[in-house]
Amino acid sequence: MHVCGERNPEVIKTLAKQIVVQCDQGCYRSVAIPAICAGQGGLDPSVVAKSILEGIKDAPGPLLATSVTTRGRSGSTRSTSHSLPLPVTLDLSSIVMSLPDTESRARASAAYEVQCSTHTFSPDEIECLTLDEKDLLRSKVNSLHLQLKEISSNRWVVKGLKEGVSEVAMLIQDALRRQVREKDQMFLFSQVTWCILGPRGNWQKLPKDMNFKLEKADVIDGIVDAQGVKWTVDLKNMKARNLTQVTTLKRLQNLSDFTVPIYWDNITETLEVIDLDQSSKEYQTVKMGFKTTVKKTVLKIQRIQNVNLRRLYEGRKTELENRNDTSVGAGEKILYHGTSEESCSLIKTSNFNRNFAGQNATLYGHGTYPL
């Protein structure tokens, strides 16, 4: 391409931009730009170098390829492959090599180096990137005309104009912060579970990131539930509001070896008996199941929160699920059976006693019945 810089830095900047665009449209793998007007034109080489660099930076399209071309001492070129798809970088060393004398070359080289920087990072930092973040990294390397290469088994380096290198370094740092934040959220989620009462009266776990925000009382901008609904939060009264409704929040504190069921209240003792609210969905569900076979009036429904018995139940349920066909699972059913008040107290603390199987009634066959 033959161009005229008109001894004008702004014209040279525009020309450099147009050259890169033309190369991109022509799918060229490399381009070498001489120091326009730094010879017979008489312009200061550092001014020319800066103008060309600024023009290249402003070019909208990257040169796409998978190797980096550099100029050696003899003027020959070589290509170095990398494990990430990278662009061909512009051979800016040609600006320096085409200058008329050693002093001019040194000044232009110094001007270019002032505009550049490098940043090194480890393979672990690359591995922490998500697929989207890796795509963004490639895009930045391309669009900002940077060099990214592996210089040893435990070190990568990105090189180019300072602003571009800073953007890549910031991307890596943001990814590391995200990874640490996600680990913190996962750890907290195993210890504390924040729940929101859904529109159908069922408790729902909030997403891990919202769980973390609630635990840290960082709710100025509200929270978003698992369905994507946004809520403002009143932590003092454990309420959440949106434009159309108000609902309840609760915080469950798990034990080191026991995750509290989502419909339970927070536990403070191994055994707790909770009177259910007659307006709650849980109360209505239990009552409906009971009334399908019994016409008696329901006076009160209590939930038994026995941590030790719950552990046994979950272990037995998992065993049956593993043993049975996947379509059957544990084959669990909800059944009701009458017994004395004294027996109820024993069942709450020590479970059903299998020694009494068949002594009270055998309507459904021999099995574990209440006393």
Side-chain angles (χ1 to χ4, degrees), residues 235-248:
L235 280 178
K236 182 178 179 180
N237 297 304
M238 295 295 278
K239 297 292 183 182
R241 293 178 173 83
N242 61 21
L243 295 177
T244 60
Q245 57 186 316
V246 179
T247 191
T248 304

Side-chain angles (χ1 to χ4, degrees), residues 333-347:
K333 296 182 183 297
I334 297 177
L335 304 173
Y336 295 86
H337 197 286
T339 191
S340 66
E341 184 175 354
E342 181 183 3
S343 295
C344 283
S345 298
L346 292 172
I347 292 169

Side-chain angles (χ1 to χ4, degrees), residues 149-316:
K149 59 182 179 179
E150 188 175 11
I151 56 177
S152 68
S153 60
N154 61 354
R155 202 159 58 123
W156 282 70
V157 63
V158 59
K159 181 178 181 180
L161 294 180
K162 292 179 180 177
E163 186 175 325
V165 171
S166 295
E167 286 191 35
V168 169
M170 184 66 69
L171 171 62
I172 300 292
Q173 291 167 5
D174 287 345
L176 289 171
R177 282 192 287 266
R178 172 192 52 74
Q179 188 178 54
V180 171
R181 183 171 62 252
E182 289 176 353
K183 287 182 178 179
D184 289 342
Q185 291 171 0
M186 181 66 74
F187 177 72
L188 178 66
F189 198 65
S190 68
Q191 295 185 314
V192 174
T193 305
W194 280 84
C195 308
I196 188 168
L197 191 61
R200 296 183 180 180
N202 296 318
W203 287 102
Q204 303 171 3
K205 292 182 180 181
L206 286 162
K208 294 181 181 64
D209 55 342
M210 297 298 108
N211 190 76
F212 192 84
K213 288 185 65 174
L214 282 165
E215 187 66 15
K216 301 302 180 182
D218 178 21
V219 293
I220 295 177
D221 56 349
I223 59 171
V224 179
D225 65 24
Q227 284 69 47
V229 179
K230 187 168 183 177
W231 303 83
T232 57
V233 174
D234 177 3
L235 280 178
K236 182 178 179 180
N237 297 304
M238 295 295 278
K239 297 292 183 182
R241 293 178 173 83
N242 61 21
L243 295 177
T244 60
Q245 57 186 316
V246 179
T247 191
T248 304
L249 298 169
K250 74 175 178 181
R251 176 185 181 274
L252 299 177
Q253 180 88 40
N254 298 320
L255 303 179
S256 60
D257 59 345
F258 180 77
T259 300
V260 178
I262 192 172
Y263 61 88
W264 277 21
D265 290 1
N266 215 16
I267 55 176
T268 57
E269 299 179 6
T270 302
L271 170 62
E272 293 180 337
V273 180
I274 309 297
D275 290 336
L276 298 186
D277 185 344
Q278 293 187 10
S279 64
S280 69
K281 177 65 179 289
E282 184 180 8
Y283 183 99
Q284 296 300 324
T285 299
V286 175
K287 179 181 177 180
M288 186 181 301
F290 181 76
K291 296 282 281 187
T292 56
T293 56
V294 179
K295 305 306 178 186
K296 301 290 185 179
T297 301
V298 175
L299 300 178
K300 181 169 62 176
I301 299 176
Q302 296 176 320
R303 181 198 313 124
I304 311 305
Q305 297 186 173
N306 188 315
V307 174
N308 294 329
L309 295 184
R310 181 74 187 195
R311 286 194 185 100
L312 294 173
Y313 159 76
E314 290 180 348
R316 180 60 172 165

